[in-house]
Amino acid sequence: MHTYLVTGGAGFIGSNYIHYMFKKYGDDIRIINVDKLTYAGNLENLKDIENRPNYSFVRADICDKDAISAVFAKEDIDRVVHFAAESHVDRSIESPEVFVQTNVLGTAVMLNCAKAAWELPDGTFKPDHKFLHVSTDEVYGSLEEDGGYFYETTPYAPHSPYSASKASSDMLVKAYMDTYKFPANITNCSNNYGPFQFPEKLIPLIINNALQGKKLPVYGDGKNVRDWLYVEDHAKAIDMVQEKGRLFETYNIGGHNEKQNIQIIHIILDTLREMLPESDPRRANVTDDLITYVTDRKGHDRRYAIAPDKIKAEIGWEPETMFEQGIRKTIQWFFENEEWMKNVTSGDYEKYYDSMYSNR
Ligand code: NAD
Ligand code: DAU
């Protein structure tokens, strides 16, 4: 039985990954979720699994060496999946330091603690112990509008403080693999969407604003391109890389689903109009007039596009959820979880944490 230390499991992708793993492996795995619960961490995302005997939660900062070593000392961890990070580009432009702190220093602490727990006296590592570092396609910089893809061999060229901090964290993982033969993999994924995504990111923000008749802010000319992947497909890819990938390798993960931001917004508006019954009062809010062009993001990368050829050839992973299907599932999830959105936007999830965990 594998025991996973998942960092950032209360965030968007981490919580989807934990759901995916319990759905796939049931009682055959243990998961210890370590999360600091920043504004982006929400234990409500894990409400339905929090009482499983093979799941536990530890509130800790990944920069806190003592707290992380204590988790390794207490639990016999043989898998680390490292999601925890500051993840929002706009915030990194306003406040870069916390990105360096969590994404770079936090990753160094995670690597050091895993190395200390797993290293044998002869400098090799306990067999079948593995660390997976979850990273982003933004480390490769920006592509031209008219072509090209990010491959695992594409040179790093990050632009935002966020992507620079993620690139640095990737370099640290590479340094551990090269120097110590530390057993790790890196995955670089494109833009995710799906349930539990915090509404600071484009897709949940547009869904939430449109339902409320609020303006839909489009940065610049709206023609920046992102390559969107349904989050459950990402979760599956991470698991497949960790179990079937070659150690020390990087794998790019992408949806083969490039779209301009303005196209995404139109698809969301059309889908909302299609899915909302005539009788729903929110239907009247959903109009194209809400689209509002605003000042561009500083240093806004023009286009991202992943070539997921290596992961397909070596591991057999491919994106399974077509965008039309994924966006409907996502919108349906937001329809069914209005309370979640209310709590997230009002900060009430902090109260949820207090009520659930103050006595533990
Ligand atoms: P998120 O912001 O939704 O969640 C981040 C989680 O990390 C939160 O639960 C937060 O509380 C936790 N966290 C932050 N700082 C911490 C700290 N110092 N110690 C412990 N926990 C801390 O992020 P996400 O969108 O789920 O992204 C997860 C990972 O995937 C990140 O590493 C991100 O770079 C990467 N990634 C994201 C995307 C995407 O489209 N969202 C795409 C590719 C890669
Ligand atoms: O590519 C992977 C990355 O995708 C991840 O590493 C990041 O953690 C994740 O946040 C995401 O970064 P982006 O900056 O691409 O995502 P975001 O949702 O913030 O923006 C998507 C695009 O939409 C981008 O071109 C900016 C634009 N945008 C965004 C917002 C929030 C708008 O036009 N209006 C908005 O209000």
Side-chain angles (χ1 to χ4, degrees):
M1 176 189 277
H2 297 307
T3 300
Y4 288 80
L5 192 175
V6 173
T7 69
F12 161 51
I13 306 177
S15 59
N16 276 286
Y17 168 81
I18 292 176
H19 282 118
Y20 172 81
M21 292 298 278
F22 281 134
K23 212 162 33 168
K24 176 160 184 204
Y25 296 105
D27 295 336
D28 295 338
I29 54 168
R30 291 174 61 228
I31 294 183
I32 296 119
N33 173 16
V34 173
D35 197 302
K36 180 181 176 182
L37 300 182
T38 66
Y39 79 94
N42 181 359
L43 287 179
E44 242 187 298
N45 299 0
L46 298 159
K47 218 159 46 183
D48 53 333
I49 55 105
E50 69 190 359
N51 291 321
R52 289 187 76 106
N54 55 341
Y55 168 79
S56 59
F57 173 69
V58 177
R59 187 174 192 174
D61 187 332
I62 54 164
C63 301
D64 180 345
K65 188 164 80 180
D66 294 340
I68 301 300
S69 311
V71 176
F72 277 99
K74 183 164 173 240
E75 312 281 354
D76 194 10
I77 287 154
D78 61 347
R79 295 282 184 275
V80 173
V81 182
H82 177 37
F83 293 97
E86 288 292 335
S87 69
H88 193 44
V89 174
D90 291 328
R91 285 179 191 256
S92 82
I93 295 166
E94 293 307 312
S95 318
E97 290 94 339
V98 66
F99 283 73
V100 177
Q101 178 78 14
T102 288
N103 299 1
V104 186
L105 188 64
T107 299
V109 169
M110 289 306 304
L111 288 165
N112 253 336
C113 291
K115 176 174 173 289
W118 294 350
E119 197 168 22
L120 296 169
D122 66 357
T124 63
F125 290 89
K126 292 181 183 173
D128 196 28
H129 284 52
K130 300 177 186 182
F131 188 108
L132 189 140
H133 176 62
V134 179
S135 192
T136 171
D137 59 358
E138 297 199 14
V139 299
Y140 298 121
S142 185
L143 291 164
E144 295 301 320
E145 232 152 6
D146 55 353
Y149 290 96
F150 295 139
Y151 293 90
E152 288 79 359
T153 48
T154 303
Y156 276 30
H159 295 129
S160 71
Y162 163 70
S163 52
S165 69
K166 290 297 290 187
S168 309
S169 68
D170 292 12
M171 291 299 172
L172 276 173
V173 180
K174 286 178 204 273
Y176 271 64
M177 295 193 287
D178 291 349
T179 308
Y180 309 110
K181 295 278 166 286
F182 179 75
N185 287 103
I186 299 171
T187 54
N188 295 91
C189 188
S190 62
N191 285 61
N192 285 215
Y193 69 99
F196 303 115
Q197 189 166 29
F198 195 83
E200 65 186 354
K201 307 279 166 40
L202 180 71
I203 287 185
L205 184 144
I206 296 298
I207 296 172
N208 190 38
N209 282 16
L211 288 172
Q212 295 182 54
K214 288 191 187 158
K215 287 184 177 169
L216 311 178
V218 184
Y219 298 168
D221 65 1
K223 292 186 179 158
N224 298 66
V225 171
R226 297 292 182 265
D227 177 2
W228 294 93
L229 179 69
Y230 191 63
V231 63
E232 200 171 275
D233 286 352
H234 186 190
K236 181 173 180 180
I238 287 170
D239 180 41
M240 286 176 79
V241 167
Q242 197 159 44
E243 296 315 316
K244 297 186 180 167
R246 285 182 295 136
L247 266 185
F248 314 120
E249 291 290 320
T250 288
Y251 293 91
N252 282 353
I253 304 170
H256 265 316
N257 179 46
E258 286 180 56
K259 293 209 169 9
Q260 293 179 340
N261 296 332
I262 192 68
Q263 290 178 309
I264 293 285
I265 293 172
H266 281 297
I267 292 172
I268 292 174
L269 291 173
D270 290 345
T271 314
L272 281 172
R273 282 188 283 259
E274 217 180 284
M275 289 175 73
L276 283 167
E278 295 283 351
S279 57
D280 194 310
R282 293 172 301 178
R283 202 170 191 281
N285 293 335
V286 184
T287 70
D288 291 5
D289 299 341
L290 298 175
I291 295 173
T292 310
Y293 287 86
V294 299
T295 310
D296 206 356
R297 174 184 279 175
K298 286 183 185 140
H300 198 175
D301 285 339
R302 193 62 176 167
R303 174 172 165 257
Y304 303 146
I306 283 271
D309 302 2
K310 179 174 170 182
I311 190 171
K312 183 177 178 198
E314 288 192 13
I315 301 180
W317 177 89
E318 289 190 88
E320 288 172 23
T321 313
M322 294 296 103
F323 190 71
E324 294 64 28
Q325 181 198 356
I327 200 70
R328 289 183 77 88
K329 276 163 85 165
T330 304
I331 290 174
Q332 187 61 36
W333 187 88
F334 280 108
F335 283 166
E336 286 164 11
N337 291 276
E338 268 188 285
E339 203 56 29
W340 181 92
M341 183 61 92
K342 254 187 229 151
N343 290 345
V344 161
T345 44
S346 69
D348 270 358
Y349 59 96
E350 284 166 18
K351 291 186 201 143
Y352 172 83
Y353 173 79
D354 288 342
S355 72
M356 284 308 296
Y357 287 88
S358 55
N359 298 323
R360 292 187 181 179

